[in-house]
Amino acid sequence: MAKKSREQAIFGDFQTPPALAALVCRTLAKRQIKPTTILEPTCGDGHFLVAATTYFPTCRHRVGVEINPVRLQRAREALATTPGTKLVCGDFFRVDWSNLLATLQDPLLVVGNPPWVTNAELSVHRGQNFPEKTNNRAGFTGLDGLTGKSNFDISQWICQHLVERLQGREATLAMLLKTAVARKIIADAWSSGAAVHGVELHMLDAKQHFGAHVDACLLLAHTGRAGDRTCRVYQQLSQPEVACELGYEPGVGLIADRVLRDATRGFETTGAHQTTWRSGIKHDCAKVFELRAVDGQLVNGFGEVVDIESEYCLPLRKSSDVAHDRLDTGRYLVVPQRRVGEDTAGLQRRAPKLWQYLSIHGDRLDARKSRIYRGRPRFSIFGIGDYTFSPWKVAISGLYKSLEFRLVGPASDGKPVVFDDTVYFLACASRGQAAAIHAALMSKTGQQFFSALIFWDQKRPVTAGLLRRLDLEKLVEHCRQTREVG
Ligand SMILES: C[S@@+](CC[C@H](N)C(=O)[O-])C[C@H]1O[C@@H](n2cnc3c(N)ncnc32)[C@H](O)[C@@H]1O
């Protein structure tokens, strides 16, 4: 996408191409949506209102609201010969929606593409395009709470506000949104008990339509009565095949795949049965801690040859190595402690070469910014304990969008492999235990368990919180009994 101007950023001013507006309207018309009134709450140049004239012959009234008078004038010109059209120059957050909606006749279609603008963007540009404090109706989850969140998107507020206002009305909401925002709107509606039914998400290619690298979709929901809390997901706007169905569980939230969840819910655990997934080592100052084998010597990030006691130097696999199953990486990590907070002064005696190496770079190591190093022994690292030194591990990268677990044994020199802090792993007592756990995690049931819960468009879909939810003991036993493999 071309660089946004300040105005574009604050007002999310990216008009929907007429062809996409037409495709959305056609999709809605195919679903037998026959509105008497169409409302476009942030109508811009009016492309949706224009497209609607072709696809909704029963529609008698069209209403558009838009904050930008230049855009509204364009909409006026485009709709000049369409009777029953009312265009209002106004700010969504200051419009009296109770009054305006009371004048509109059902069935009502609220269609459009609200501004995709986050709190963070507004604060960078010191924009004021957000709502004032509101009094929410009982039962709804508090739009005010939303505005304080750093990842709050005003399109979310707009849609949640509309869902509230449309309660009891025979209305359809059809909005283009970031997929993550659409999911939040669905989760809010379902958790607050809003009466919505027939919820659907239709994925669309935002790169193609808006030149934007973001996961986007059409959110479709009907008000007027409550339905079951499921949402069909279509891989593309124009395609009839349902890719999966989202679900909802109180206390859990949105479920990525309802069918897979039904098949694997029994493997969910909390409390005592949770497995302790560890993160790899956090050290900062990679140029000092990370070494590479070059022509039989170890070299640090400054290109200096490093000579330290071998037991303090362990083979390292980074997230990308784990994701791509690279075994012999030629990378090593300086590991001065065996547990968090272990005194390092004794290294002077126990490992004089290591002590000298770390002392030479002491200023750099002392200047590490993260607060975790404050008040800790010099040269401290984190994510270190007995588990670090287990020769057998099962690991997964937290940076990659994949459920590939790796069985990791000792390196060719017999030393335990260590990971960076973007890798999650389980330390295992033996090769046999690691193999059984790995097989279970890669089994159909193991993969389905996580697939039911993962939204792959999230930045980091694989998290320790997600991994902990699986009752691993139960899954290993299940795989043993059923001989299920990946
Ligand atoms: C993503 S564009 C979409 C325009 C139009 N809905 C379409 O689909 O082509 C968002 C529109 O919202 C308008 N807008 C932004 N903030 C607004 C507000 N607070 N009230 C009303 N309109 C607003 C912008 O000027 C812009 O025209």
Side-chain angles (χ1 to χ4, degrees):
M1 186 189 272
K3 202 172 173 316
K4 297 178 199 177
S5 70
R6 180 175 181 272
E7 291 293 289
Q8 271 181 320
I10 294 173
F11 293 100
D13 190 351
F14 296 93
Q15 304 296 304
T16 307
L20 177 58
L23 183 58
V24 169
C25 289
R26 197 168 72 212
T27 305
L28 299 175
K30 272 195 194 159
R31 281 171 161 60
Q32 301 304 315
I33 292 166
K34 293 180 177 160
T36 298
T37 313
I38 294 176
L39 168 67
E40 223 290 31
T42 60
C43 71
D45 292 351
H47 294 159
F48 274 107
L49 291 172
V50 171
T53 58
T54 307
Y55 293 97
F56 304 108
T58 56
C59 174
R60 283 189 278 135
H61 311 284
R62 279 154 222 90
V63 177
V65 176
E66 167 62 43
I67 199 166
N68 181 334
V70 177
R71 294 258 173 242
L72 196 74
Q73 182 53 29
R74 287 193 198 140
R76 282 211 169 97
E77 285 160 19
L79 290 150
T81 56
T82 310
T85 304
K86 179 178 164 189
L87 297 171
V88 180
C89 195
D91 178 350
F92 182 96
F93 303 116
R94 271 111 204 140
V95 167
D96 183 342
W97 286 104
S98 299
N99 267 343
L100 179 55
L101 287 167
T103 64
L104 308 183
Q105 209 180 321
D106 290 352
L108 174 62
L109 169 62
V110 182
V111 65
N113 175 6
W116 304 356
V117 181
T118 60
N119 248 2
E121 281 169 302
L122 284 176
S123 92
V124 166
H125 296 285
R126 276 181 255 139
Q128 297 293 316
N129 196 13
F130 52 72
E132 282 163 3
K133 289 255 172 199
T134 49
N135 286 322
N136 297 301
R137 285 193 279 155
F140 290 95
T141 51
L143 290 167
D144 282 345
L146 257 187
T147 48
K149 294 192 177 154
S150 62
N151 60 353
F152 154 71
D153 199 299
I154 61 174
S155 60
Q156 184 184 343
W157 198 97
I158 287 172
C159 290
Q160 286 183 205
H161 190 72
L162 288 167
V163 169
E164 284 190 31
R165 296 283 156 192
L166 294 172
Q167 290 300 291
R169 300 284 299 257
E170 192 190 338
T172 299
L173 184 73
M175 289 287 189
L176 298 183
L177 294 159
K178 289 183 203 161
T179 308
V181 171
R183 279 201 305 267
K184 287 182 191 168
I185 295 163
I186 297 170
D188 178 77
W190 285 345
S191 65
S192 63
V196 289
H197 66 278
V199 183
E200 295 178 359
L201 287 184
H202 300 251
M203 298 304 146
L204 57 92
D205 186 344
K207 174 86 180 63
Q208 179 199 336
H209 297 295
F210 297 100
H213 292 275
V214 57
D215 287 284
C217 66
L218 170 73
L219 165 66
L220 182 59
H222 308 277
T223 57
R225 66 175 170 81
D228 60 1
R229 291 191 275 193
T230 63
C231 166
R232 289 182 172 181
V233 180
Y234 296 82
Q235 220 39 272
Q236 269 183 44
L237 245 185
S238 48
Q239 283 185 1
E241 294 85 29
V242 177
C244 65
E245 269 186 31
L246 307 188
Y248 182 82
E249 280 177 31
V252 174
L254 227 49
I255 301 297
D257 192 312
R258 200 172 63 81
V259 176
L260 295 184
R261 179 65 175 168
D262 285 347
T264 58
R265 186 178 292 107
F267 293 96
E268 170 105 23
T269 184
T270 50
H273 281 274
Q274 283 199 336
T275 310
T276 308
W277 285 86
R278 305 282 181 183
S279 297
I281 294 176
K282 177 170 174 59
H283 48 74
D284 292 308
C285 209
K287 286 192 166 182
V288 174
F289 280 108
E290 292 181 18
L291 310 178
R292 286 196 77 89
V294 180
D295 299 332
Q297 292 182 307
L298 291 174
V299 176
N300 69 10
F302 301 107
E304 300 162 348
V305 172
V306 178
D307 178 22
I308 57 173
E309 288 78 2
S310 164
E311 65 265 39
Y312 294 93
C313 181
L314 296 180
L316 170 66
R317 260 181 237 173
K318 300 181 92 147
S319 242
S320 56
D321 302 321
V322 172
H324 298 114
D325 209 15
R326 279 194 291 261
L327 300 184
D328 214 350
T329 63
R331 287 186 224 270
Y332 291 85
L333 192 72
V334 177
V335 182
Q337 294 172 301
R338 288 192 70 93
R339 59 178 168 77
V340 171
E342 186 185 33
D343 182 28
T344 49
L347 290 173
Q348 197 166 1
R349 187 177 31 83
R350 289 198 312 273
K353 290 197 280 187
L354 171 64
W355 177 260
Q356 192 193 5
Y357 173 66
L358 294 175
S359 300
I360 288 169
H361 294 285
D363 288 350
R364 279 197 183 89
L365 297 176
D366 294 343
R368 287 179 293 171
K369 286 206 181 72
S370 172
R371 290 171 49 191
I372 58 172
Y373 300 110
R374 280 190 217 149
R376 296 289 180 163
R378 260 190 120 190
F379 317 140
S380 274
I381 55 177
F382 284 84
I384 182 91
D386 288 346
Y387 48 87
T388 310
F389 301 93
S390 289
W392 289 95
K393 295 168 175 125
V394 176
I396 185 164
S397 163
L399 284 187
Y400 286 72
K401 298 189 178 196
S402 144
L403 276 173
E404 289 289 341
F405 293 87
R406 304 293 181 199
L407 176 60
V408 180
S412 50
D413 58 7
K415 288 180 178 175
V417 168
V418 296
F419 307 107
D420 72 26
D421 64 345
T422 62
V423 171
Y424 301 111
F425 71 96
L426 292 172
C428 302
S430 64
R431 179 194 185 127
Q433 187 194 44
I437 289 175
H438 178 255
L441 289 167
M442 293 306 293
S443 71
K444 194 172 153 210
T445 305
Q447 296 281 300
Q448 287 185 341
F449 176 84
F450 293 121
S451 300
L453 299 169
I454 290 180
F455 293 101
W456 287 108
D457 59 302
Q458 281 175 347
K459 200 168 168 202
R460 296 252 185 124
V462 178
T463 63
L466 171 82
L467 297 169
R468 268 200 296 273
R469 291 172 64 171
L470 172 68
D471 187 336
L472 196 51
E473 234 179 271
K474 191 171 181 182
L475 179 66
V476 169
E477 183 54 22
H478 165 84
C479 291
R480 198 183 60 76
Q481 281 181 15
T482 58
R483 298 181 184 279
E484 188 185 314
V485 286

